[in-house]
């Protein structure tokens, strides 16, 4: 409380958003005058929220409020994940909203077929309006991350991720995408999408940068209104469920893209002016277009977590900016507020959030709020205001009169999911998002000849779709899970064959008949949220295999076109040098033909479509953006561009991986980690393994190299007898609370020649150790074991300060190799938590 600093006229003349500058001009520092993390709402631009609740509807919601018990009111403030709350829970606790996390789905099945989603929607809805135990029966609403199409659902149209749309510079297209996405959501019965992401990333090492349209706030702002209108309809429109609309959510408020070093959920230690002029800008058009909800960020501003920042949520967003919808938190983000836990956080409500996203913590949150409300610790006026905001949004949506999900327009119309009309929009978006960085007269390709298509991810729809696609991280999928979709390869093949030529798919670039030209695809693999954070802007060296293919083809005089699949601009000078033409495809999604539309010309060799994409952010010159841009924001060639001389770019060696979730790979621990062998009794008898062959524990262990993925990519441990521990130790204790909260696992890839008598994996922290048995049976191949972090935490590991997060202890004679140790979700064998 009392967080509002009052400034009268002292600060008159400080730049406000009108005529916004995007530069970081720190001259007008208001912050020195105040506490850190406290905003000055009066300095922010004013907007007008155009949504008015008609008198009769307002009377209706106020009447409901008057009849609701305290239990019912508190229930409305809580959102539960379907993973962890049954329809009966929704009925009993009057829960206001459900969500499905990226790795959840109906009946515990992330890959559940579309009809099951609709059936599930009915079950929860019917439970919510069941008045068996009395009460008013407020219908529940279901939120989903439909962030690039209704992207959790098998068969949906998958649009390019936002960074690609940013390249397209086409707000009308954005509105069409919003409208198509809304329709596809309605087919499976949800009412609410956690989109659009209106982040303005300033550091592309951030693993969520691709979820944002651009690093330029003006470009982002130019899209937001269009996307909100596409999803919700024009701002004055009501009764969305009687139409083909859903409610939207702009996220993540505020400055999720402004954190230091691009660390996910980190701290934006920036001035209030930057906060306002860069990160705040897109909220203007969102509010002017009547966005129904805003999601707060996991991150903090000047050390204060957003969900607990009253000056920003209540003062700026709801006050000065006039936002009239409701504010929802992010996934257990309330637990990160100072003084809060996942199970208890009245402060978030007091500071202005209206709904808690409490996926698996809904019950303790509900009980805690109820207890405190009864004790008079939370002002009733704040509770009523939050409930009213939620009820008004529900009323605008039309959920009070819409009936059960399956009875509404579009529900169950399976042919709308991935319909040809929607795929055509996505294909257009792919065409318009492609950015041409180099063309030495090779493109467009003539379709009549022989085309070789090589590289990685060429025929892999999951790879070209990125994270937040069917599964949370976009991993664990194959082409069969994308019915109706087209890979880049298939699109190219069709176009070439239609023009009378032939195409050959050859990932390693080998061929029997000499091709006339080659396309080599390469780039990033899917990731989401913090798992995509990187230490530098270099493409991980273990993804650069196709560079060699490019060089070999070129050495044979075959023209090479490089196509990069990526969520961000990266240092890839070797590929830029090696190829004759270079195209950035971003994360195009399910309609791979869009690439062929632009790359493959007509029979006369003329382009069928020209390049339109312009870089939505600058391209780095080196692995560090601090060294400046190779290509500036807005760069992009087309078929009209005059020919350019190519000056070879400097090439530097880059790390095998920049992913700080990979601790051991290619035979080496990552930087700041050590690989150690000891007897499990402290460091006295310890050997640090740097080179091989090596021995440890007086000859009881021999360490050698063996192949995994790459030559000598694993370390083999041959143990003659006794107790042996192989450990990874970090220089600094690491905090894995966030990963643990998201069901991430410790992944050990190992091969066993001789099984030990017993083996266990432990995680050592400053405040405690957790251990779990691992059955290391002999196999003739490497196996990726998954140890849930949740389990290690349950067993006592101090998850927020781990010094040796990985220790493998064996007893007896044994012989095994370790290929990789990292965090992730893609285990082959998940160890039971016994
Ligand atoms: C993400 C949000 C997402 C939510 C629900 C969070 O972890 O940060 O963007 O909407 O989960 O899946
Ligand atoms: C994500 C969810 C996901 C979950 C995995 C969260 O951080 O936002 O969408 O399902 O982690 O448990």
């Amino acid at each position: 409380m009392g967080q509002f600093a009052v400034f009268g006229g002292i600060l008159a003349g400080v730049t406000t958003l009108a005529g916004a500058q995007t530069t970081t001009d720190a001259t007008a520092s208001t912050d020195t005058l105040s506490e850190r993390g406290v905003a000055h709402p009066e300095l922010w631009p004013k907007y007008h929220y155009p949504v008015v609740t008609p008198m009769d509807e307002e009377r209706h919601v106020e009447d409901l409020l008057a009849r609701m018990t305290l239990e019912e009111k508190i229930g409305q403030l809580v959102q539960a994940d379907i993973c962890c709350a049954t329809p009966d829970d929704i009925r009993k606790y009057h829960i206001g909203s459900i969500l499905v996390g990226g790795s959840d789905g109906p009946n515990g099945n992330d890959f559940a077929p579309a009809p099951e989603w609709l059936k599930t929607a009915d079950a929860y809805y019917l439970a919510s309006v069941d008045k068996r135990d009395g009460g008013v029966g407020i219908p529940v609403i279901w939120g989903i991350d439909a962030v690039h199409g209704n992207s959790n659902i098998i068969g949906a149209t998958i649009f390019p991720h936002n960074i690609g749309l940013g390249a397209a510079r086409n707000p009308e297209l954005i509105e069409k995408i919003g409208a198509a996405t809304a329709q596809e959501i309605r087919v499976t019965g949800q009412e609410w999408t956690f989109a659009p992401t209106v982040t303005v990333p300033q550091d592309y090492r951030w693993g969520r940068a691709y979820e944002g349209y651009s690093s330029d706030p003006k470009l982002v702002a130019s899209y937001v209104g269009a996307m909100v209108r596409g999803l919700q309809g024009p701002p004055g429109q009501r009764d969305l469920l009687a139409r083909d609309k859903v409610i939207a959510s702009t996220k993540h408020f505020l400055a999720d893209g402004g954190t230091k070093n691009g660390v996910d959920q980190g701290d934006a230690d920036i001035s209030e002016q930057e906060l306002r002029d860069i990160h705040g800008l897109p909220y203007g058009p969102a509010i002017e277009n009547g966005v129904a909800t805003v999601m707060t960020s996991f991150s903090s501003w000047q050390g204060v977590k957003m969900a607990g920042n009253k000056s920003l949520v209540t003062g700026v967003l709801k006050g000065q900016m006039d936002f009239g919808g409701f504010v929802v938190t992010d996934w257990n983000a309330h637990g990160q507020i100072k003084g809060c836990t996942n199970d208890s956080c009245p402060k978030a409500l007091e500071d202005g959030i209206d709904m808690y996203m409490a996926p698996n913590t809904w019950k303790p949150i509900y009980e805690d709020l109820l207890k405190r409300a009864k004790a008079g610790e939370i002002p009733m006026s704040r509770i009523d205001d939050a409930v009213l905001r939620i009820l008004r949004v529900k009323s605008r949506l039309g959920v009070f009169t819409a009936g059960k999900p399956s009875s509404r327009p579009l529900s169950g119309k399976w042919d709308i999911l991935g319909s040809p009309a929607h795929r055509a929009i996505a294909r257009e978006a792919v065409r318009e998002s492609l950015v041409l960085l180099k063309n030495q007269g090779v493109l467009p390709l003539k379709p009549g000849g022989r085309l070789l298509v090589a590289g990685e991810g060429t025929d892999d729809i999951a790879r070209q779709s990125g994270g937040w696609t069917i599964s949370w991280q976009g991993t664990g999928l194959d082409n069969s899970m994308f019915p109706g979709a087209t890979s880049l390869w298939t699109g190219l093949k069709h176009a070439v064959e239609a023009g009378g030529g032939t195409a050959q798919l050859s990932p390693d670039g080998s061929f029997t008949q000499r091709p006339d030209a080659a396309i080599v695809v390469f780039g990033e693999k899917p990731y989401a949220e913090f798992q995509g954070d990187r230490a530098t802007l270099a493409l991980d060296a273990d993804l650069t295999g196709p560079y060699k293919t490019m060089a070999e083809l070129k050495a044979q005089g075959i023209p090479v076109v490089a196509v990069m699949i990526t969520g961000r601009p990266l240092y890839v000078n070797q590929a830029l040098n090696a190829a004759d033409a270079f195209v950035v495809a971003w994360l195009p999604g399910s309609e791979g033909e869009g690439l062929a539309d632009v790359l493959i010309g007509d029979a006369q060799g003329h382009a069928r479509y020209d390049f339109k994409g312009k870089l939505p952010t600058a391209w780095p010159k080196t692995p560090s953006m601090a060294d400046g841009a190779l290509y500036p924001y807005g760069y992009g060639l087309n078929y009209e561009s005059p020919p350019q001389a190519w000056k070879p770019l400097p090439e530097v060696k880059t790390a095998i991986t920049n992913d700080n979730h990979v601790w051991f790979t290619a035979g080496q621990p990552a930087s700041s980690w050590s690989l150690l062998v000891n007897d499990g009794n402290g460091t006295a008898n310890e050997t640090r393994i740097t080179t091989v062959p090596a021995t440890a524990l007086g000859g009881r262990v021999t360490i050698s190299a063996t192949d995994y993925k790459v030559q000598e990519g694993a370390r083999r441990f041959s143990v003659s007898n006794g107790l042996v521990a192989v450990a990874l130790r970090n220089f600094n204790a690491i905090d894995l609370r966030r990963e643990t909260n998201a069901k991430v696992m410790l992944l050990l890839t190992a091969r066993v020649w001789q099984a030990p008598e017993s083996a266990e994996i432990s995680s050592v922290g400053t405040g405690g150790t957790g251990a779990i048995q691992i059955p290391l049976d002999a196999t003739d191949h490497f196996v990726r074991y998954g140890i849930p972090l949740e389990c290690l935490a349950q067993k006592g590991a101090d998850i927020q300060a781990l010094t040796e997060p990985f220790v493998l202890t064996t007893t007896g004679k044994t012989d095994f190799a370790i290929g990789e140790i990292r965090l992730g979700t893609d285990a082959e064998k998940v160890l039971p938590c016994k």
Side-chain angles (χ1 to χ4, degrees):
M1 303 278 150
Q3 284 197 33
F4 295 111
V6 181
F7 277 104
I10 315 174
L11 298 168
V14 167
T15 322
T16 62
L17 217 44
Q21 292 192 346
T22 64
T23 47
T24 325
D25 175 0
T27 48
S29 177
T30 57
D31 308 301
T32 48
L33 297 169
S34 69
E35 250 178 85
R36 287 174 64 75
V38 179
H40 307 92
E42 71 284 1
L43 299 178
W44 289 64
K46 275 185 189 279
Y47 297 107
H48 169 63
Y49 195 65
V51 183
V52 191
T53 314
M55 268 320 268
D56 54 333
E57 287 185 34
E58 183 63 23
R59 237 180 268 127
H60 174 234
V61 296
E62 280 175 9
D63 170 63
L64 286 173
L65 183 76
R67 290 190 289 127
M68 284 164 83
T69 60
L70 185 58
E71 284 77 2
E72 287 172 288
K73 289 181 183 178
I74 299 295
Q76 287 305 300
L77 310 182
V78 180
Q79 182 181 53
D81 191 304
I82 61 166
C83 67
C84 309
T86 62
D88 208 48
D89 290 329
I90 301 310
R91 179 184 62 78
K92 212 165 135 203
Y93 295 91
H94 319 284
I95 297 299
S97 175
I98 51 172
L99 90 145
V100 60
S103 35
D104 301 313
N107 314 309
N109 181 9
D110 199 10
F111 305 145
E116 275 188 50
W117 293 75
L118 184 56
K119 243 198 252 159
T120 304
D122 271 359
Y124 283 95
Y125 167 87
L126 291 171
S128 69
V129 296
D130 181 337
K131 296 183 217 164
R132 214 181 317 160
D133 307 331
V136 295
I138 309 283
V140 72
I141 54 174
W142 183 348
I144 189 165
D145 290 294
V147 296
H148 60 147
N150 193 5
S151 47
N152 277 275
I153 313 291
I154 292 181
T157 308
I158 307 294
F159 293 92
H161 265 299
N162 286 351
I163 191 167
L165 300 181
R169 305 290 206 277
N170 185 348
E172 289 84 52
L173 176 66
I174 299 303
E175 186 159 348
K176 285 199 275 178
I177 292 174
T181 303
Q183 291 195 344
E184 296 205 14
I185 298 170
R186 291 294 303 281
V187 173
T188 48
Q190 293 71 38
E191 296 100 352
W192 178 12
T193 173
F194 302 131
T197 304
V198 301
T199 183
V200 191
Q202 300 299 296
D203 189 328
Y204 279 74
R205 290 176 294 177
W206 185 36
R208 305 194 74 159
Y210 69 82
E211 296 184 54
Y213 298 115
S214 170
S215 57
D216 176 16
K218 291 201 269 338
L219 175 53
V220 180
S222 77
Y223 273 11
V224 174
M227 188 47 118
V228 171
R229 283 193 307 276
L231 290 164
Q232 301 189 153
Q237 186 163 286
R238 311 192 64 80
D239 224 355
L240 309 192
L241 294 178
R243 312 168 192 269
D244 55 357
K245 297 297 176 191
V246 295
I247 53 170
S249 188
T250 36
K251 70 184 187 186
H252 308 84
F253 184 85
L254 188 62
D256 50 349
T259 62
K260 205 167 159 194
N261 298 327
V263 170
D264 194 43
Q265 308 187 9
D267 183 37
D269 194 10
I270 56 177
S271 70
E272 184 170 352
Q273 185 176 0
E274 272 179 86
L275 185 70
R276 196 171 60 217
D277 295 354
I278 298 177
H279 305 281
L281 197 68
Y283 286 86
I287 287 164
E288 286 173 339
N289 283 282
V291 71
T293 74
V294 168
M295 187 188 293
T296 48
S297 183
F298 269 116
S299 58
S300 48
W301 174 53
Q302 296 187 350
V304 180
K305 286 282 174 182
M306 286 296 163
N309 191 319
K310 187 168 189 169
S311 65
L312 284 169
V313 178
T314 302
V316 171
L317 182 64
K318 290 179 167 178
Q320 186 79 350
M321 289 184 169
D322 194 31
F323 170 60
F326 71 81
V327 180
V328 63
T329 52
D330 203 345
W331 189 275
N332 280 333
H334 56 264
Q336 298 188 16
I337 298 170
K338 206 167 164 222
C340 290
T341 65
N342 282 0
D343 293 350
S344 162
C345 189
K347 182 171 174 4
L349 179 63
E350 285 159 12
D351 287 347
I353 73 96
D354 303 302
M355 185 182 277
Y356 289 76
M357 187 188 288
N360 52 346
T361 49
W362 59 271
K363 203 172 185 178
I365 282 291
Y366 168 91
E367 281 166 351
D368 183 71
L369 286 174
L370 183 62
K371 189 184 78 199
R372 290 172 191 273
K374 279 186 177 157
E377 290 171 34
I378 307 171
M380 209 47 213
S381 56
R382 180 70 268 272
I383 294 173
D384 284 350
D385 172 55
V387 175
L388 268 180
R389 282 173 175 268
I390 293 165
L391 295 183
R392 285 192 195 110
V393 166
K394 288 188 173 183
S395 173
R396 175 176 169 204
L397 190 57
V399 75
F400 293 112
T401 50
K404 65 178 177 181
S406 63
S407 70
R408 303 171 188 165
L410 273 65
S411 291
K413 298 221 153 78
W414 311 120
D415 52 351
I416 293 176
L417 203 61
S419 71
H422 293 170
R423 292 187 189 277
I425 299 169
R427 181 169 171 174
E428 178 188 349
V430 175
R431 280 197 295 269
E432 297 195 4
S433 64
L434 302 174
V435 178
L436 181 65
L437 295 181
K438 178 182 183 183
N439 186 14
Q440 304 288 93
V442 202
L443 289 173
L445 295 169
K446 287 180 208 62
R450 191 175 295 130
L451 178 71
L452 184 76
V453 181
E456 287 176 5
T458 313
D459 189 24
D460 184 344
I461 299 163
R463 178 102 176 235
Q464 74 196 38
S465 299
W468 298 108
T469 307
I470 303 181
S471 71
W472 177 37
Q473 297 286 327
T475 50
L477 311 170
D478 59 49
N479 283 357
S480 72
M481 293 162 111
F482 292 90
T486 308
S487 70
L488 298 179
W489 151 248
T490 308
L492 290 164
K493 178 173 162 1
H494 287 165
V496 168
E497 286 174 355
T502 58
Q504 189 194 340
L505 176 64
S506 168
D508 68 0
S510 59
F511 53 82
T512 39
Q513 271 186 300
R514 185 187 161 85
D516 298 308
I519 290 179
V520 182
V521 179
F522 78 107
E524 290 193 305
K525 284 189 177 169
Y527 52 77
E529 296 192 56
F530 45 88
Q531 300 205 29
D533 287 2
R534 291 292 180 274
T536 76
L537 282 178
L539 179 67
D540 293 346
D542 63 357
L543 296 173
T544 58
Y547 291 3
K548 206 167 141 233
T549 311
M550 293 177 201
E552 283 167 4
L553 291 166
K554 199 168 167 185
Q556 300 171 67
I558 299 162
V560 173
V561 179
V563 172
M564 183 172 178
I565 297 174
T566 188
R568 52 190 147 195
L570 292 171
Y571 169 81
V572 290
N573 280 6
Q574 245 181 297
L576 280 160
N577 282 333
D580 301 289
F582 192 107
V583 177
V584 187
W586 310 110
L587 298 167
S590 61
E591 307 315 305
E593 300 104 319
L595 178 74
D597 287 345
V598 183
L599 266 51
I600 313 289
D602 64 15
Q604 285 74 46
H606 298 130
R608 292 181 296 144
Y609 294 92
D610 203 351
F611 283 92
K612 290 176 91 176
K614 304 281 175 216
L615 287 181
T617 189
W619 197 277
K621 196 187 272 178
T622 72
S624 162
M625 202 63 217
D627 294 331
L630 178 62
Y631 300 112
Y633 169 85
Y635 186 83
L637 305 171
N638 62 21
Y639 287 139
E640 314 272 85
S641 306
Q644 294 161 333
W646 184 258
K647 217 171 103 224
L649 303 167
E651 294 179 7
V652 300
K653 205 167 148 30
T654 54
I656 187 86
T657 173
N658 285 302
D659 183 347
N660 58 12
H661 290 105
V662 180
W663 300 339
F664 180 85
T665 190
Q668 296 297 329
S671 69
S672 87
W673 292 89
S674 315
L675 178 68
L676 307 155
V677 174
N678 61 41
D679 60 6
N681 270 317
T683 53
N685 277 317
E686 183 168 274
T687 306
R688 180 162 159 222
I689 311 302
T690 50
T691 53
V692 285
T695 58
L697 295 175
R700 269 204 294 132
V701 190
T702 309
I703 304 102
S704 59
T706 183
D707 293 350
Y708 171 66
K709 276 197 192 164
V710 294
Q711 209 181 348
E712 309 214 328
R715 291 295 169 260
R716 181 168 178 171
F717 302 82
S718 310
V719 178
S720 60
N721 59 65
L723 199 138
V724 169
V726 177
L728 275 179
R729 184 176 303 143
N730 199 311
F731 191 66
N732 297 308
I734 60 166
D735 181 353
L736 296 183
R737 271 177 297 178
R738 171 63 183 133
E739 286 79 356
T740 307
N741 179 25
K743 298 182 200 153
V744 172
M745 289 179 270
L746 173 57
L747 300 175
L748 162 69
T749 307
R751 170 174 177 190
V752 181
W753 284 268
Q754 167 153 16
E757 279 163 18
S758 72
E760 98 182 0
I761 301 271
S762 49
S763 251
V764 184
T766 46
T769 297
I772 164 171
Q773 302 290 321
I774 174 167
L776 282 184
D777 301 325
T779 50
D780 59 1
H781 58 278
F782 279 86
V783 176
R784 196 159 57 246
Y785 300 92
I787 303 109
L789 293 174
E790 252 169 6
C791 174
L792 290 167
Q794 255 174 50
K795 303 255 178 198
D798 179 8
I799 227 74
Q800 62 172 300
L802 293 169
T803 47
E804 278 176 38
F806 174 89
V807 184
L808 171 63
T809 311
T810 60
T811 57
K813 187 173 161 68
T814 175
D815 187 10
F816 61 89
I818 296 181
E820 204 164 62
I821 303 169
R822 63 180 168 91
L823 297 178
T825 47
D826 51 333
E828 287 166 336
K829 243 187 205 178
V830 179
L831 300 191
C833 195
K834 291 191 300 215

